[in-house]
Amino acid sequence: MFWRRGIRYKLAIALWGVAIIAFAAAGLALVLFENLTLERRVGQIMEPYAQLVSVGTEAAVAFEDPGRAQEILNTLRTNPQLSKAEIFLRDGRLLARYSGRSKEASLPPSLKPDGVYLNHNNAELLQSLQDGAHLRLVMSLNELNRQTQEILWKFALGMFVLLVTITLALRAALQKTIIDPISTLVKTVEQVRTRADYSRRVPASGVDEVGRLGQSFNAMMGVIQEREGDLRRLTLFQRTILDNAAYGIISTTTEGIVSSFNRAAEHLLGYPAEEVVGKLTPVCWHDQEEISRRALQLSEELGETVAPGFEVFAVRLRRNLPEENEWTYIRKDGTRMPVLLSVTALQGASGQITGFVGLAYDLTERKQAEARYRALFENAVDGIFQTTPSGRFIDANPALARMLGYTSARELMACVTDIPQQLYAWPEHRAEISHLMEERGVVEAFETRLYRKDGSSIWVSVNGRAVCNGSGAILYWEGITEDITERKKAEEELNRYKTHLETLVQERTVQLEQANVRLQEMDRLKSMFIASTSHELRTPLNAIIGFTGMTLQGLSGELNEEQHDNLARVYRSAKHLLALITDIIDISKIEAGKISIFPEEFPLEELVDEAIAIVTPQLQKKGLSLERELPATLNMYADRKRLFQCLVNLLSNAAKFTEKGRIIVAARENDGSIELSVTDSGIGIAERDLPRLFKPFERLESHLRVRAGGTGLGLYLTAKLVADILRGTISVQSREGEGSTFTLSLPRDLRRVPEPPDLVREGGGTP
Amino acid sequence: MKTALIIEDHPDSMVLISRLLEKWGYRTIGAGTGREGIELALQNRADFIILDIQLPDMDGTEVLRSIRAKLGHDTPVIAITSYAMSGDRERLLAAGCDGYIEKPIDPELVLSQIRDVIGEEHEDTDR
């Protein structure tokens, strides 16, 4: 009963027990002390009286005077404790006697030596007096015993109170420092145990064992809580993996009873987990025939009988062999599917198998892909191969066999055991391919000739790659062989044509070169022709103009009016013809790139004035005014003569097509270029005519054209000169009936204009 | 009366220039080739020389150089070019010409051009 009580009770019992024992021990000690000190205390009381009697009775003894002795002895009455006093003489006679209470019979003096003797309830003192007499004092112990008892009672009471107080205080202290913390701890531990609440802590302070116990408990709870968190997370993690795994995961006991079945497995097989957990596998979703076949196969393999049941999955694992196999699963709806099932044993700490886990992977898509690949392989037009680097076939497709004249891929692979020697017309090509595979891992469009079964040969193009393992070592080659015999033939044919064509081209090139030489010669002849034409056509015209002019001036005598008119027409026509020839020569030279540029520095104003002077007679004849708006000093570096020619052309055109009003010549410089414009108030140019303006012989459909005259080459030549010689641009703004403005935009300094490579600037004199 | 030496291979031109100069009151001497021209220039001490640049036997500038070498710069030389190419003017002036006339010779202009070169006052302003 005691041992089952709480620590509080046990401690209380212990404390009280100790208190009682202490109480008893103290009491005993006191009694013992009192007894031990009794003789001394008695001596202390009696010895002064004995001394008093001894001194007082000295004379009475000597004289054997009993009265005197009696007197002395009677003084002892003052102490009621002294019950008897007797004086004996040497011969044993009683000299005197005092008795406090009754007439007690005097006892003969004993022969004991001097000293104090304790009896049951009295104490006896013997002392020798002079002359051999003895004093015997008897004292009652009642008084002393009473005193002793009183002391004992007081002591017991005090002791009791003290012990009770101490015990209660101790209990209270223990309650606070040990019992309460331990009870709390116990309660907490019980709560933790029953509620699995690892967040509980106990109040723990102090450095004593109890404090440390609490602290250790709290620390331990911390660790446990952390572990608990970890465990929870791990479980969640596992749960998540299991729920979301792409593999069907099925775990079983060692006997094959399904213990878990994840979502992927549910999805894979169509069974809900609760329908299969607790059942024995292989139950519903395995093909029993397949299990039997596998059992037979395993029996053969392992040399022991394997029952066609769960053991087919476990037997290999029990022997530490891996277990992975393809199986057919039958879904709940009866459909079948191929799966890859990999089974692993779960092992306990001591290595014993505690269960199995199977991972099932749906092979449907892979099988389909394999089938597709196989179909491609079987039906390809090109040959597909897998070979070892040393030259044996691993696989070949029917197309390759056909290409090489064999009836089947099997025959090809059986017959050809040394690819380099048996197939390659040039075995060194095989060595080259081998080299490429090692160096680059691929071979692209490698063309070579292979022998067929019948000894004939074909041209092929090989595309392949080296298939390597993880560490980069070549496992085998695979690739495609294309029969390019026809293409090769075509190429050869093409080559022949090409060679033929090249010969033809060469011949033709020679012919063309000859023709080109002739053409260059002709071009030179043309230039010479133009040069001589220039001279030859102009010489007679010079004579005509010269003599007609002379005659018209009246230097050869007076002319009548008709003669003057006739000659004037001859003169004008000759001048026109000369202008036309001059323009044609200029144009042909520009077009042939034979014209030379002679740039020089000159004041623009001077050039403009010279040009104005040329057209002044025309203007005066028509009564037109001319204004010039020129900067005072503006020098130009250009081909002066050609610019002059252009300006005269523009001015005479303006004069030609203007009947009344004025002509303005203006120039202004702008950032290294000069804009020179001629504005008239003439007939203008219709918008539709503008595009044709700078083309040769494009005289415009103007009502004035009959009267206008001119070569029809003027603007064409001007535009050419502006572009090729002056390196500027010409533009026109015009409104029919209101007049035109022709603007030349020219570089102020020709030296600052980059040279086009095909133009000669200097040299090349008179043609 | 001043004398002009005309060095010109083409007869029509020769006649035209001679006649014009004679009408205007000059004496003319004609030479059909470059060599003849140089020879006559040295013999006759003409007051001025009219020189066709295109001659059958020599280049006009050659003739000019020979004359300049022998007569110095006292005698003005006026060149005649068939078709004034750009650059001819510069070439001729650089070679020592005092002036030049372009063909076709315009009777209305040629007199004043010659007079400008030889330093005579214009007698008339006919055009």
Side-chain angles (χ1 to χ4, degrees), chain A residues 534-535 538-543 545-551 553 555-557 571 575 578 582 585-586 589 596 598 600 613 617 639-642 645 764-767, chain B residues 9-17 19-21 23-24 52-54 81-91 100 102-110 126-127:
Chain A
S534 149
H535 189 68
R538 292 167 59 98
T539 307
L541 269 178
N542 286 340
I545 290 164
F547 284 108
T548 320
M550 189 170 112
T551 311
Q553 272 197 307
L555 293 174
S556 309
Y571 184 76
K575 286 274 239 188
L578 184 70
T582 308
I585 291 164
D586 278 347
K589 278 199 287 190
S596 305
F598 296 96
E600 61 185 301
D639 191 319
R640 187 184 198 279
K641 191 175 164 60
R642 293 303 181 184
Q645 196 177 347
T766 323
Chain B
D9 65 316
H10 198 277
D12 283 347
S13 290
M14 174 66 91
V15 170
L16 179 65
I17 296 162
R19 258 187 213 170
L20 280 171
L21 287 173
K23 300 274 182 197
W24 289 324
D52 189 357
I53 289 302
Q54 285 176 301
T81 63
S82 165
Y83 165 44
M85 295 293 299
S86 291
D88 273 3
R89 192 176 113 107
E90 290 71 21
R91 205 155 59 87
Y100 80 120
E102 283 180 25
K103 282 185 182 175
I105 291 165
D106 189 336
E108 290 185 20
L109 297 174
V110 72
D126 59 338
R127 312 283 306 265

Side-chain angles (χ1 to χ4, degrees), chain A residues 661-680:
Chain A
R662 58 185 187 165
I663 291 166
I664 305 165
V665 185
R668 59 195 178 90
E669 191 192 2
N670 181 21
D671 194 25
S673 73
I674 288 173
E675 286 200 347
L676 187 60
S677 62
V678 177
T679 307
D680 64 51

Side-chain angles (χ1 to χ4, degrees), chain A residues 162-360:
Chain A
L162 184 70
L163 279 176
V164 166
T165 310
I166 288 173
T167 306
L168 285 176
L170 265 177
R171 239 194 93 196
L174 284 175
Q175 180 86 27
K176 188 163 178 277
T177 56
I178 298 172
I179 298 168
D180 283 352
I182 287 179
S183 321
T184 314
L185 188 62
V186 168
K187 259 186 241 157
T188 309
V189 167
E190 276 167 1
Q191 278 175 349
V192 166
R193 188 169 56 79
T194 54
R195 298 189 200 161
D197 180 358
Y198 302 106
S199 64
R200 291 208 166 253
R201 295 290 183 277
V202 292
S205 58
V207 292
D208 59 359
E209 286 81 348
V210 175
R212 269 158 45 203
L213 181 64
Q215 284 154 9
S216 298
F217 173 79
N218 285 347
M220 194 173 77
M221 287 309 289
V223 172
I224 289 175
Q225 194 176 9
E226 206 171 293
R227 293 264 169 85
E228 167 76 5
D230 285 349
L231 194 65
R232 196 165 295 172
R233 277 194 293 280
L234 190 65
T235 311
L236 184 69
F237 178 61
Q238 271 182 354
R239 193 74 250 158
T240 310
I241 290 179
L242 280 175
D243 285 350
N244 297 297
Y247 284 86
I249 303 174
I250 303 161
S251 66
T252 70
T253 62
T254 46
E255 295 81 29
I257 293 164
V258 175
S259 52
S260 81
F261 198 75
N262 77 341
R263 271 190 213 161
E266 288 180 335
H267 181 72
L268 194 71
L269 286 160
Y271 290 100
E274 58 269 20
E275 211 168 295
V276 291
V277 169
K279 290 196 179 159
L280 188 68
T281 180
V283 267
C284 17
W285 60 78
H286 272 277
D287 180 357
Q288 198 53 47
E289 267 182 47
E290 204 175 41
I291 298 283
S292 305
R293 274 203 302 279
R294 178 69 179 153
L296 277 177
Q297 194 188 335
L298 283 168
S299 305
E300 205 169 298
E301 183 187 319
L302 302 170
E304 73 170 65
T305 312
V306 177
F310 181 69
E311 273 308 291
V312 297
F313 306 114
V315 70
R316 280 174 65 83
L317 293 166
R318 295 197 205 281
R319 290 160 188 246
N320 285 325
L321 294 170
E323 172 57 35
E324 187 175 86
N325 246 303
E326 288 183 16
W327 296 95
T328 305
Y329 271 12
I330 305 163
R331 297 166 57 89
K332 194 181 181 184
D333 62 9
T335 52
R336 290 167 166 258
M337 75 173 106
V339 295
L340 181 73
L341 177 67
S342 173
V343 185
T344 316
L346 295 172
Q347 289 181 325
S350 54
Q352 87 282 10
I353 293 176
T354 59
F356 296 94
V357 176
L359 298 181

Side-chain angles (χ1 to χ4, degrees), chain A residues 584-698:
Chain A
I584 287 169
I585 291 164
D586 278 347
I587 289 164
S588 62
K589 278 199 287 190
I590 292 170
E591 283 177 350
K594 293 256 155 89
I595 197 155
S596 305
I597 304 172
F598 296 96
E600 61 185 301
E601 180 121 17
F602 57 89
L604 183 64
E605 194 178 14
E606 187 187 295
L607 177 122
V608 173
D609 285 342
E610 274 179 43
I612 290 171
I614 299 283
V615 294
T616 300
Q618 257 178 293
L619 298 175
Q620 281 172 348
K621 238 182 268 174
K622 285 184 158 183
L624 300 168
S625 68
L626 189 137
E627 292 170 21
R628 48 195 274 285
E629 297 167 5
L630 297 174
T633 50
L634 180 56
N635 275 12
M636 248 187 110
Y637 185 85
D639 191 319
R640 187 184 198 279
K641 191 175 164 60
R642 293 303 181 184
L643 177 57
F644 182 75
Q645 196 177 347
C646 292
L647 187 57
V648 168
N649 239 324
L650 294 179
L651 280 171
S652 67
N653 273 351
K656 231 182 271 174
F657 296 107
T658 308
E659 291 308 308
K660 56 175 183 176
R662 58 185 187 165
I663 291 166
I664 305 165
V665 185
R668 59 195 178 90
E669 191 192 2
N670 181 21
D671 194 25
S673 73
I674 288 173
E675 286 200 347
L676 187 60
S677 62
V678 177
T679 307
D680 64 51
S681 54
I683 56 169
I685 303 150
E687 207 175 323
R688 64 178 185 281
D689 287 330
L690 283 173
R692 300 186 297 157
L693 201 60
F694 298 105
K695 291 189 174 162
F697 299 111
E698 291 284 356

Side-chain angles (χ1 to χ4, degrees), chain A residues 415-623:
Chain A
C415 292
V416 179
T417 53
D418 184 353
I419 293 171
Q421 294 303 323
Q422 286 174 271
L423 282 187
Y424 276 75
W426 301 296
E428 60 272 21
H429 276 187
R430 183 64 164 56
E432 209 174 308
I433 289 176
S434 189
H435 183 68
L436 286 170
M437 287 291 193
E438 275 160 28
E439 290 290 307
R440 289 193 274 154
V442 289
V443 171
E444 282 164 348
F446 191 98
E447 293 184 3
T448 186
R449 254 177 62 210
L450 299 182
Y451 285 126
R452 285 164 58 88
K453 188 184 179 187
D454 61 10
S456 62
S457 71
I458 55 168
W459 271 100
V460 293
S461 169
V462 180
N463 282 282
R465 67 179 194 107
V467 178
C468 299
N469 65 9
S471 54
I474 296 178
L475 297 174
Y476 59 89
W477 302 349
E478 62 179 18
I480 294 175
T481 306
E482 185 191 353
D483 184 350
I484 55 164
T485 312
E486 288 303 314
R487 199 186 85 199
K488 273 282 169 189
K489 273 187 200 159
E491 271 177 14
E492 275 164 26
E493 191 85 346
L494 203 64
N495 252 330
R496 275 203 299 283
Y497 282 128
K498 202 176 121 197
T499 315
H500 180 61
L501 201 64
E502 273 171 6
T503 318
L504 280 179
V505 167
Q506 275 170 5
E507 284 169 11
R508 194 79 190 121
T509 307
V510 171
Q511 286 170 359
L512 281 174
E513 274 167 3
Q514 287 167 351
N516 197 22
V517 169
R518 278 202 298 277
L519 275 176
Q520 280 172 355
E521 175 65 12
M522 278 167 72
D523 195 45
R524 203 179 60 81
L525 286 173
K526 193 190 94 182
S527 295
M528 278 173 64
F529 173 74
I530 288 169
S532 63
T533 304
S534 149
H535 189 68
E536 296 310 322
L537 284 176
R538 292 167 59 98
T539 307
L541 269 178
N542 286 340
I544 293 168
I545 290 164
F547 284 108
T548 320
M550 189 170 112
T551 311
L552 273 172
Q553 272 197 307
L555 293 174
S556 309
E558 281 299 314
L559 297 172
N560 66 29
E561 202 170 311
E562 192 181 342
Q563 284 170 334
H564 192 278
D565 184 59
N566 291 348
L567 272 181
R569 285 174 193 279
V570 172
Y571 184 76
R572 277 201 302 275
S573 296
K575 286 274 239 188
H576 186 197
L577 184 56
L578 184 70
L580 203 54
I581 289 166
T582 308
D583 283 357
I584 287 169
I585 291 164
D586 278 347
I587 289 164
S588 62
K589 278 199 287 190
I590 292 170
E591 283 177 350
K594 293 256 155 89
I595 197 155
S596 305
I597 304 172
F598 296 96
E600 61 185 301
E601 180 121 17
F602 57 89
L604 183 64
E605 194 178 14
E606 187 187 295
L607 177 122
V608 173
D609 285 342
E610 274 179 43
I612 290 171
I614 299 283
V615 294
T616 300
Q618 257 178 293
L619 298 175
Q620 281 172 348
K621 238 182 268 174
K622 285 184 158 183

